[in-house]
Amino acid sequence: QVQLVESGGGLVQPGGSLRLSCAASGSIFSIHAMGWYRQVLGKQRELVATITSSGSTNYADSVKGRFTISRDNAKNTVYLQMNSLKPEDTAVYYCNADVLSVAGTAIHYWGQGTQVTVSS
């Protein structure tokens, strides 16, 4: 069984920074893509950033220039460096991974979510 464990969320002032981490563990052969999504109560979950195993990245327009996604393939870990945070960034952030297991099964996994609150 594969699990995604997130860390790094919390309360930060506008203009501040946070670094989110998500480590995948379990029966993993490889991970094609990993990403971060966020959701505000009453709204649909939206893409923040994704990254493939080869390093190709994709960002939502609202976070371009402020957020940076990266990954350590050897550790099956994805990071999200969040700079110049705004109150509008407040949301529950979810880690996502497209995992190919040792058994040969491809499954889309989600983390439990971590709260990011940007407020004075």
Side-chain angles (χ1 to χ4, degrees):
Q1 186 174 352
V2 176
Q3 293 183 337
L4 302 181
V5 180
E6 299 167 311
S7 63
L11 175 65
V12 66
Q13 295 183 353
S17 298
L18 284 175
R19 179 179 167 89
L20 304 183
S21 299
C22 175
S25 62
S27 183
I28 299 172
F29 178 75
S30 65
I31 302 177
H32 171 61
M34 302 185 78
W36 292 94
Y37 294 71
R38 65 187 182 187
Q39 186 170 23
V40 178
L41 185 64
K43 297 183 179 179
Q44 293 186 337
R45 189 172 300 183
E46 65 176 1
L47 181 148
V48 177
T50 60
I51 184 169
T52 67
S53 59
S54 63
S56 179
T57 58
N58 183 41
Y59 295 92
D61 289 340
S62 59
V63 306
K64 287 181 179 178
R66 300 188 298 118
F67 292 8
T68 302
I69 189 170
S70 61
R71 64 187 288 175
D72 185 334
N73 292 334
K75 297 180 179 180
N76 289 326
T77 300
V78 64
Y79 307 93
L80 185 67
Q81 180 65 46
M82 309 164 67
N83 298 326
S84 301
L85 283 163
K86 305 175 181 179
E88 303 93 277
D89 296 317
T90 296
V92 177
Y93 284 70
Y94 295 90
C95 176
N96 171 268
D98 187 7
V99 178
L100 178 63
S101 71
V102 175
T105 303
I107 301 177
H108 209 61
Y109 286 93
W110 291 93
Q112 78 286 350
T114 183
Q115 177 70 47
V116 172
T117 302
V118 185
S119 176
S120 299

